[in-house]
Amino acid sequence: MKVVGIEASQVLAGRIAEQLRVEMVDARFSRFPDGEQYLQVGELGDETVVVGSVADSDALVQLLLLIDACEGSEIDLVIPYMGYARQDRRFQRGEPVSARAIARALSPGVRRVFTVNLHKEAILAYFGTTARNLSLAPDIGAYIRGMDTDNPLILAPDRGAAAFAADVAAVGGWDSDYLQKVRISGDEVRMQPVTIDVASRTVVIVDDIISTGGTLATAATKLLEKGARAVHAVCVHGVFAGGAYGRLKSVGIESVAASDTIECGSSLFSAASCIAAGIRGC
Ligand code: R5P
């Protein structure tokens, strides 16, 4: 078995290879003069783990090209962050089910698919092959333990993330709860009044994705108004669109951490051991 990653998932791919104690495939990426992408892979093994987060269109094209280049090897595809997953159904007439389109495009030639904290588990059914979703809740719990906060309250910003927050809280035997969110637009949300007693408590808001930061900024503002001692934010996928990191810091969030499913300066813990365990366990 060997591991290969798209350009934007190189570090995570390397960490997965270390965890699995296997070599990485040397893959070189470049472009033709017209801007089209080109890549060339080195020596493959009988089995290849292809790692790539679909964080933008270039990443999607690189994944498609890598899967094709690895033809002849048994391919396990790891999609640490699956972009387009939030359009998981047709909300209005004429719209695509984008999650299905991406899943269908990436399935041919692949033996197994692994995702990480996918927006909705039901999306797995769109892959035309065996697909498994892994959760970083234990890893986030371990990260929070390392923050050395005094008996933190683990809070989900909405009901949809409540079970995830409970899984994170279980790691340290901490309290968990959730807020009630109503989305107004792409980057604006409204929070129902906070009824949870957060006075003098350290609150860690956990979520699957920080995209525009609207959800967490609104939640943190309410919590600080209610007397929380400190608010921290930890998520799986740090998209940080349109200045989201600065937005979060500007409302007084003390620390912002994400995993390396999207590699960035806020990637303060890794999804590698969870992914390697998933690959080994199947
Ligand atoms: C929503 O269902 C997700 O769990 C996240 O809460 C959401 O995607 C975060 O988006 P934003 O950072 O733009 O508020």
Side-chain angles (χ1 to χ4, degrees), residues 67 87 224 230:
I67 291 167
Q87 179 78 21
L224 290 167

Side-chain angles (χ1 to χ4, degrees), residues 1 11 22 28 31 38 63 79 89 91 96 106 108-109 121 138 140 156 187 208 221 235 251-252 256 270:
M1 177 180 279
V11 175
V22 300
R28 305 289 172 94
R31 285 183 188 267
Y38 171 81
L63 261 186
I79 311 173
R89 63 191 170 90
F91 298 92
L106 290 172
E121 291 247 350
I140 289 186
D187 61 356
D208 57 346
T221 303
C235 73
V251 298
V256 181
S270 181

Side-chain angles (χ1 to χ4, degrees), residues 85-126:
R86 283 176 287 176
Q87 179 78 21
D88 61 331
R89 63 191 170 90
R90 193 170 278 129
F91 298 92
Q92 294 182 46
R93 242 177 107 183
E95 289 181 349
V97 180
S98 307
R100 182 177 63 192
I102 300 294
R104 282 180 177 167
L106 290 172
S107 296
V110 168
R111 174 177 63 178
R112 305 181 297 186
V113 173
F114 297 89
T115 58
V116 179
N117 292 100
L118 193 54
H119 183 59
K120 291 225 177 86
E121 291 247 350
I123 294 168
L124 294 177
Y126 293 142

